[in-house]
Amino acid sequence: MVLFPEKINGFYGAVFGGCSNLIADCNMHKASFQAKDSMFVNCGITGIDMSRSSHGTLSGSMFKNCKNLKWVKFNETNSTFEIHSSTFQNCQALTTLEPFFPTNLTRIYSNAFNGCTNLSGTAEFSVTTTASSDGAFSNTKV
Protein backbone atom coordinates (compact mmCIF):
# COMPACT_ATOMS: atom_id res chain seq x y z
CA MET A 1 0.00 0.00 0.00
CA VAL A 2 1.18 3.52 -0.76
CA LEU A 3 0.36 5.60 2.32
CA PHE A 4 0.69 9.38 2.39
CA PRO A 5 1.32 11.13 5.73
CA GLU A 6 -0.97 13.84 7.04
CA LYS A 7 1.46 16.67 6.41
CA ILE A 8 3.37 16.70 3.17
CA ASN A 9 4.26 19.68 0.99
CA GLY A 10 3.94 18.45 -2.53
CA PHE A 11 4.87 16.23 -5.40
CA TYR A 12 5.91 17.63 -8.75
CA GLY A 13 5.94 15.73 -12.01
CA ALA A 14 5.55 12.02 -12.59
CA VAL A 15 6.87 10.97 -9.16
CA PHE A 16 5.40 7.46 -9.48
CA GLY A 17 5.18 7.63 -13.28
CA GLY A 18 5.97 4.38 -15.02
CA CYS A 19 5.96 2.33 -11.79
CA SER A 20 4.00 -0.44 -13.47
CA ASN A 21 5.22 -2.99 -10.89
CA LEU A 22 3.74 -0.94 -8.04
CA ILE A 23 0.61 -3.09 -7.68
CA ALA A 24 -1.01 -1.66 -4.56
CA ASP A 25 -3.78 0.51 -3.23
CA CYS A 26 -3.01 4.16 -2.57
CA ASN A 27 -4.36 5.69 0.64
CA MET A 28 -4.12 9.45 0.88
CA HIS A 29 -5.66 9.46 4.39
CA LYS A 30 -5.65 13.04 5.68
CA ALA A 31 -3.00 14.18 3.23
CA SER A 32 -3.15 17.77 2.11
CA PHE A 33 -0.63 18.37 -0.62
CA GLN A 34 -0.11 19.78 -4.06
CA ALA A 35 0.17 17.12 -6.72
CA LYS A 36 1.13 18.23 -10.16
CA ASP A 37 0.22 16.64 -13.48
CA SER A 38 1.07 13.02 -14.21
CA MET A 39 1.94 12.03 -10.63
CA PHE A 40 0.92 8.36 -11.14
CA VAL A 41 0.84 8.15 -14.96
CA ASN A 42 1.40 4.57 -16.21
CA CYS A 43 1.53 3.25 -12.64
CA GLY A 44 0.25 -0.11 -11.40
CA ILE A 45 -1.91 1.15 -8.50
CA THR A 46 -5.19 -0.71 -8.02
CA GLY A 47 -7.26 1.69 -5.91
CA ILE A 48 -7.24 5.22 -4.49
CA ASP A 49 -8.79 6.21 -1.15
CA MET A 50 -9.15 9.98 -0.85
CA SER A 51 -12.11 9.78 1.53
CA ARG A 52 -10.31 11.66 4.32
CA SER A 53 -7.93 13.74 2.20
CA SER A 54 -8.32 17.49 1.98
CA HIS A 55 -6.84 17.42 -1.53
CA GLY A 56 -9.49 19.15 -3.66
CA THR A 57 -8.08 18.96 -7.19
CA LEU A 58 -7.02 15.98 -9.24
CA SER A 59 -4.44 17.34 -11.67
CA GLY A 60 -4.31 16.61 -15.38
CA SER A 61 -3.19 13.09 -16.33
CA MET A 62 -2.66 12.33 -12.63
CA PHE A 63 -3.73 8.67 -13.00
CA LYS A 64 -3.66 8.40 -16.81
CA ASN A 65 -2.99 4.92 -18.20
CA CYS A 66 -3.14 3.21 -14.79
CA LYS A 67 -4.31 -0.08 -16.31
CA ASN A 68 -4.85 -1.82 -12.93
CA LEU A 69 -6.85 0.98 -11.28
CA LYS A 70 -10.24 -0.50 -10.32
CA TRP A 71 -11.70 1.85 -7.72
CA VAL A 72 -11.59 5.44 -6.44
CA LYS A 73 -13.13 6.69 -3.20
CA PHE A 74 -13.68 10.47 -3.13
CA ASN A 75 -14.01 12.92 -0.23
CA GLU A 76 -17.32 14.78 -0.13
CA THR A 77 -16.37 17.13 2.70
CA ASN A 78 -14.03 19.44 0.76
CA SER A 79 -15.65 22.73 -0.17
CA THR A 80 -14.89 22.22 -3.88
CA PHE A 81 -13.51 19.40 -5.97
CA GLU A 82 -12.26 19.33 -9.59
CA ILE A 83 -11.17 16.55 -11.95
CA HIS A 84 -8.81 17.99 -14.57
CA SER A 85 -8.10 16.92 -18.15
CA SER A 86 -7.20 13.28 -18.75
CA THR A 87 -7.02 12.54 -14.99
CA PHE A 88 -8.31 8.97 -15.39
CA GLN A 89 -7.90 8.60 -19.17
CA ASN A 90 -7.42 4.99 -20.31
CA CYS A 91 -7.87 3.48 -16.84
CA GLN A 92 -9.54 0.50 -18.47
CA ALA A 93 -10.08 -1.54 -15.28
CA LEU A 94 -11.86 1.34 -13.49
CA THR A 95 -15.35 0.20 -12.47
CA THR A 96 -16.08 1.91 -9.15
CA LEU A 97 -16.30 5.55 -8.14
CA GLU A 98 -17.55 6.11 -4.58
CA PRO A 99 -19.65 8.14 -4.54
CA PHE A 100 -20.17 7.93 -8.29
CA PHE A 101 -19.67 11.70 -8.43
CA PRO A 102 -19.26 13.67 -5.20
CA THR A 103 -21.80 16.39 -4.43
CA ASN A 104 -18.96 18.90 -4.05
CA LEU A 105 -17.69 18.26 -7.60
CA THR A 106 -17.53 21.64 -9.33
CA ARG A 107 -15.88 20.81 -12.65
CA ILE A 108 -14.85 17.91 -14.88
CA TYR A 109 -12.43 18.81 -17.66
CA SER A 110 -11.95 17.26 -21.12
CA ASN A 111 -11.06 13.57 -21.45
CA ALA A 112 -11.21 13.10 -17.66
CA PHE A 113 -12.58 9.55 -18.00
CA ASN A 114 -12.02 8.98 -21.72
CA GLY A 115 -11.13 5.35 -22.39
CA CYS A 116 -12.36 4.00 -19.05
CA THR A 117 -14.13 1.26 -20.96
CA ASN A 118 -15.46 -0.59 -17.89
CA LEU A 119 -16.82 2.48 -16.11
CA SER A 120 -20.62 2.41 -16.23
CA GLY A 121 -23.53 4.03 -14.46
CA THR A 122 -25.57 7.17 -14.51
CA ALA A 123 -23.75 10.44 -13.97
CA GLU A 124 -25.84 12.63 -11.68
CA PHE A 125 -24.25 15.99 -11.01
CA SER A 126 -25.15 18.78 -8.64
CA VAL A 127 -26.44 22.01 -10.16
CA THR A 128 -23.05 23.63 -9.53
CA THR A 129 -21.03 21.10 -11.58
CA THR A 130 -19.62 22.19 -14.93
CA ALA A 131 -18.78 19.30 -17.24
CA SER A 132 -16.60 19.80 -20.29
CA SER A 133 -18.11 18.67 -23.56
CA ASP A 134 -14.72 17.65 -24.93
CA GLY A 135 -14.88 13.89 -24.48
CA ALA A 136 -14.96 13.75 -20.68
CA PHE A 137 -16.79 10.42 -20.88
CA SER A 138 -15.87 9.19 -24.36
CA ASN A 139 -15.33 5.46 -24.67
CA THR A 140 -17.08 4.67 -21.36
CA LYS A 141 -20.46 3.17 -20.53
CA VAL A 142 -21.56 6.29 -18.62
Side-chain angles (χ1 to χ4, degrees), residues 110-139:
S110 63
N111 295 311
F113 294 94
N114 184 357
C116 296
T117 54
N118 287 300
L119 184 62
S120 64
T122 302
E124 294 182 26
F125 302 105
S126 71
V127 293
T128 58
T129 301
T130 302
S132 170
S133 60
D134 297 334
F137 299 99
S138 293
N139 303 306

Side-chain angles (χ1 to χ4, degrees), residues 9-140:
N9 289 331
F11 292 102
Y12 300 95
V15 177
F16 297 98
C19 293
S20 57
N21 291 327
L22 178 62
I23 310 294
D25 289 345
C26 176
N27 194 327
M28 295 185 177
H29 279 287
K30 295 182 180 179
S32 174
F33 60 87
Q34 260 192 331
K36 296 299 181 184
D37 294 352
S38 306
M39 183 174 166
F40 289 96
V41 69
N42 298 314
C43 186
I45 59 172
T46 54
I48 307 158
D49 185 351
M50 295 181 285
S51 62
R52 294 184 288 158
S53 172
S54 60
H55 190 63
T57 299
L58 295 180
S59 300
S61 302
M62 190 169 180
F63 302 102
K64 184 176 182 179
N65 297 325
C66 290
K67 305 290 185 195
N68 299 320
L69 181 61
K70 296 177 184 173
W71 60 271
V72 178
K73 191 171 187 178
F74 296 112
N75 181 342
E76 287 193 279
T77 60
N78 291 330
S79 57
T80 61
F81 183 71
E82 293 186 351
I83 301 173
H84 281 241
S85 298
S86 304
T87 299
F88 295 102
Q89 187 171 9
N90 296 323
C91 293
Q92 297 168 347
L94 185 61
T95 58
T96 306
L97 302 176
E98 187 183 320
F100 195 73
F101 287 106
T103 55
N104 58 338
L105 181 64
T106 55
R107 185 154 189 181
I108 299 176
Y109 290 80
S110 63
N111 295 311
F113 294 94
N114 184 357
C116 296
T117 54
N118 287 300
L119 184 62
S120 64
T122 302
E124 294 182 26
F125 302 105
S126 71
V127 293
T128 58
T129 301
T130 302
S132 170
S133 60
D134 297 334
F137 299 99
S138 293
N139 303 306
T140 70

